[in-house]
Amino acid sequence: MSAHAVVRPNYSLILLAAAVALMRIPPSAFAAPLHVAGVPELKDLAELTVEQLSQITVMSAARRAQPLSNAATAVFVITEEDIRRSGATTLPEALRLAPNLQVARADTNQYAISARGFNNVLANKLLVMIDGRTVYSPLFSGVFWEAQQVMLEDVQRIEVISGPGATLWGANAVNGVINVITKRAGETQGGLVAAGVGNREHVTSMRWGGRLGDRGHYRVYGTSARRDGSRLSNGQPIDDGSDNGQIGFRADLGGSRHQFTISGDAYRNDIEQTFGGSRDLAGANLLARWQRSLEDGSALRVQVYYDRVERHQPGAIEEKLDTWDIDTQYGFRLAARHQMLLGMGYRYMRDELRNLGPALAFMPASTHLRRGQVFVQDEIALTPSVDLTLGLKYEHNNYTDWEALPNARLSWRFAPDRMLWSALSRAVRAPSRVDRELFTPAQPPYAIAGGEGFVSEVANVFEVGYRAQTSPRLSYSFTVFRHEFDRLRTLDPAPGGARIGNNMQGRLHGFETWGSLRVNHHWRLTGGLTRQWRKLSLLAGSGSLGGTAAAGNDPAYAWQLGSALNLTPQHEFDLRLRRVGALPSGPVPAYTTLDARLGWHVSRRLELSITVRNLLGPGHAEWGAPESRIEMARAAFVKLMWRL
């Protein structure tokens, strides 16, 4: 072990102690999950019609359960059935199913993921949540995807919103929101073993669920994976393989009025590096959520969580990040036409860094970050078919004090199966530690210096959308959008080097569409297309290094087609064809790829499948400069899933 290796707490014991304490809680004190009347659950999606699929519940659009068909936003839902039939083994690979996301793989573990442009391995305009817990790094306002391990067999759905969600979810929800929602413990009873092996990876997952008294359920799980290193486009192997593992639990207790959920996870991921030893990631989290439904139709929810992240990257940084978060919301009806939602929250982050090399430094090395927010939203029924939603959030951060995040949405259901909506929003990307406190090299004179006066990036967004269910077999959604950006990050020349500033502006406009067609009871087709145009410019007098290209690397278009066919009651065959346009920086050529999966339900409890990726060629690149980018080679994966 390196002399600077991170000393890790025994997260397994912490979670075990929490689970034991949980079992001492009287189940009669809590309530059952709340449902939307008439909205089907997601566990039997293979049997649902397209009309029923359009009525599935979404939570992210309004911070409350509502039918997807009533959501006045561009939201795409990846269902548990979609994930299972895709053959995906990681969360980023499952996100490829959303046509309103750009997902590019940079190496074995790292991804560039964004909505509506500005994509980068360190993309900073997309908010990601897992069961209500924000997966956020204050270092750069984004997500370390290599640390996000989820047992996909336990995921109920993934809600992907393209467009701003800042009024409800806060700063950094500028271009989109991803909300990963796992199944309630009562839906994962008994045992499950999933094991897969391929020419690029080996994955094993196990889960057991049981009862807690008359009104409670729990589950415990563990998952591990080994992924081999990549190869460059010239065939040279690189050291980026990884070994990772995660354990966790969830329990839900309740009756008709109260619901209590407690969950926790602990993980470790060791990633190979060419120089300096492995990059080690470790962490744990513990979340508790309580909600109460009152007789007058109002509902109160309180959620708290603690999250610990440890990151040891030889030659760069050693980080320990502790996050404490509390969030409350109260929904109630005010008179006959107003559905009100009030909320407030507070987040405290203690970020302790140790700069390990001369190449870069954060100054100060360690800091305490605080964020507070209050919001109000009013959904007004102007007529039986027209709704107006007005919302406003005020959010406070260490760097820019208070930010105002307003939103207005208008929806018109001019037919039972058709809805037209529009929205005006303001969102901000609050400064991160990179923007204010990064210096390279670690000693003056600095080639790059953090911007002492760096302020929030701003986006003003206008959207118009149309959602329709034109027949029991066909549904689709179409959205056009225009984003006006101001104060985007630049790297401006300064005496002796460059300083981070806010001297870029511009606009992004385009459209996105997706749909689903059930040809017959055995065959379902899906498809999606995004097309966007971006024009950025530097303010007069600015000579930002890298120009406007530094703002992100995005294709002008991307589309996908999917086919889910039940050959027999026991056999299923799935295809997914994707086309992604060229990336201007690199440049990275456009590519087309085809994935296929053949599944066999050997019995009610046993399922066997084989997935083959990149069938159209020996490989393709998705990210990076020609001399350093990896080739996405053809890969096969055989999986066995046994329900005990």
Side-chain angles (χ1 to χ4, degrees), residues 22-32 211-217 252-256 258-260:
L22 167 73
M23 295 178 185
R24 301 178 65 89
I25 299 174
S28 59
F30 306 101
R211 298 187 63 88
L212 288 171
D214 296 331
R215 296 184 178 182
H217 301 86
D252 298 286
L253 303 103
S256 60
H258 302 261
Q259 177 186 358
F260 181 74

Side-chain angles (χ1 to χ4, degrees), residues 151 153-154 189-194 205-208 641-644:
M151 184 171 170
E153 290 80 6
D154 286 348
Q189 295 296 280
L192 182 142
V193 176
S205 300
M206 293 180 288
R207 177 240 294 155
W208 179 263
M641 187 162 61
W642 182 27
R643 296 177 177 86
L644 305 177

Side-chain angles (χ1 to χ4, degrees), residues 33-49 52-59 65-66 77 79-81 156-157 181-184 186-187 250:
L34 304 177
H35 304 290
V36 177
V39 178
E41 293 301 305
L42 296 181
K43 58 185 177 183
D44 296 315
L45 285 173
E47 303 301 322
L48 296 181
T49 65
Q52 290 171 313
L53 284 169
S54 69
Q55 294 298 312
I56 62 178
T57 304
V58 293
M59 298 290 297
Q66 65 176 158
V77 178
T79 68
E80 60 177 294
E81 183 76 353
Q156 184 189 67
R157 67 186 184 272
I181 300 171
T182 64
K183 301 173 187 176
R184 294 185 297 271
E187 299 172 341
R250 172 169 173 161

